[in-house]
Amino acid sequence: MKIALMDSGIGLLPAAAAVRRLRPDADLVLSWDPDGMPWGPRTPEDITERAIAVAEAAAAHEPDVLIVACNTASVHSLPAMRARFEPRLPIIGTVPAIKPAASGGGPVAIWATPATTGSAYQRGLIERFADGVTVTEVACPGLADAVHHADETAIEAAIASAAARTPDDVTTVVLGCTNYELVAERIRAAVQRPDRPPLVLHGTAGAVAAQALRRIGVAPAPAAAGDTSLTVLLSGRPATLPDTALSYEEGRFLKSVCPVR
């Protein structure tokens, strides 16, 4: 079994770690685009072009399924990607977890890249799943790029800026960019108000990992063992996990349990 994940940057690490925990016997292919980072400020057409190129690099390794572990690419590029690869290669998209977040009643804040914030796709999800719930869309310029480069100063500044634009009464935050899951607890600390109930965060890593397995008819088997590999592609070039990925727990976990080949 081989499962591929793609993203503009290292935001694919949480979903990759989730897949590895569900199926330790699966080979992994991680494909991202440091040459084109960040995708958020790009036009939808440019995002789609780069997303397809990154997906093509992963598809060349003949995975059983491809997870688009990028909210921005999923919002703008899923129809084009599915037309390009399916049914030969099943495509699993990642969209903001608005439905489960809204089920708690809110108020809800959606932290996302500028490209995702205000998009017709995200607005459609809000209208469909959060009717009657107060939802605030919070654009987070620079945060995804800062996380990708493990730039501590830029991460702190971007989180502080977004937190200042998040209403005080928010009970739930949707992490609408996969990169944000790598700094989830820092986001929680910035948004949590001392006089409010514990903040609820909604990411997507576990859900997309489980959906990928369902799509190929495979059940979770956390105890499974196998001689597995990790293939890393940086803008199509074979590589190893960069030091920035190892700045995060998920990257260190993947390196420790899955040798790069």
Side-chain angles (χ1 to χ4, degrees), residues 62-88:
E62 301 183 338
D64 298 297
V65 62
L66 173 63
I67 296 173
V68 183
C70 176
N71 296 90
T72 296
S74 296
V75 163
H76 294 290
S77 310
L78 274 183
M81 296 184 70
R82 285 177 170 146
R84 181 69 163 264
F85 296 106
E86 290 185 338
R88 175 177 58 89

Side-chain angles (χ1 to χ4, degrees), residues 111 138 140 157-168 187 189-193:
W111 283 33
V138 180
C140 305
I159 289 177
S161 173
R165 290 177 283 111
T166 301
D168 289 346
I187 292 171
V191 178
Q192 178 69 59
R193 303 292 185 258

Side-chain angles (χ1 to χ4, degrees), residues 113-125:
T113 65
T116 299
T117 301
S119 66
Y121 193 94
Q122 179 160 293
R123 291 285 170 84
L125 291 174

Side-chain angles (χ1 to χ4, degrees), residues 81-170:
M81 296 184 70
R82 285 177 170 146
R84 181 69 163 264
F85 296 106
E86 290 185 338
R88 175 177 58 89
L89 176 61
I91 302 294
I92 308 299
T94 302
V95 296
I98 295 169
K99 182 178 180 180
S103 68
V108 174
I110 305 171
W111 283 33
T113 65
T116 299
T117 301
S119 66
Y121 193 94
Q122 179 160 293
R123 291 285 170 84
L125 291 174
I126 294 170
E127 291 173 4
R128 182 178 177 186
F129 296 119
D131 184 38
V133 176
T134 300
V135 176
T136 302
E137 295 180 273
V138 180
C140 305
L143 181 53
D145 195 36
V147 172
H148 176 77
H149 291 101
D151 184 334
E152 292 295 321
T153 300
I155 290 170
E156 290 298 330
I159 289 177
S161 173
R165 290 177 283 111
T166 301
D168 289 346
D169 62 347
V170 157

Side-chain angles (χ1 to χ4, degrees), residues 163-252:
R165 290 177 283 111
T166 301
D168 289 346
D169 62 347
V170 157
T171 62
T172 306
V173 173
V174 175
L175 302 177
C177 171
T178 53
N179 283 40
Y180 303 170
E181 296 188 47
L182 293 168
V183 292
E185 290 310 310
R186 294 164 74 167
I187 292 171
R188 184 194 304 278
V191 178
Q192 178 69 59
R193 303 292 185 258
D195 57 340
R196 302 289 298 173
L199 189 72
V200 178
L201 298 182
H202 282 276
T204 55
V208 297
Q211 175 62 13
L213 296 185
R214 285 193 293 269
R215 185 71 182 271
I216 59 175
V218 174
D227 182 20
T228 59
S229 65
L230 176 66
T231 299
V232 177
L233 304 168
L234 303 183
S235 296
R237 302 180 298 272
T240 59
L241 282 171
D243 290 343
T244 48
L246 302 180
S247 301
Y248 301 103
E249 178 184 350
E250 293 87 342
R252 295 190 295 272

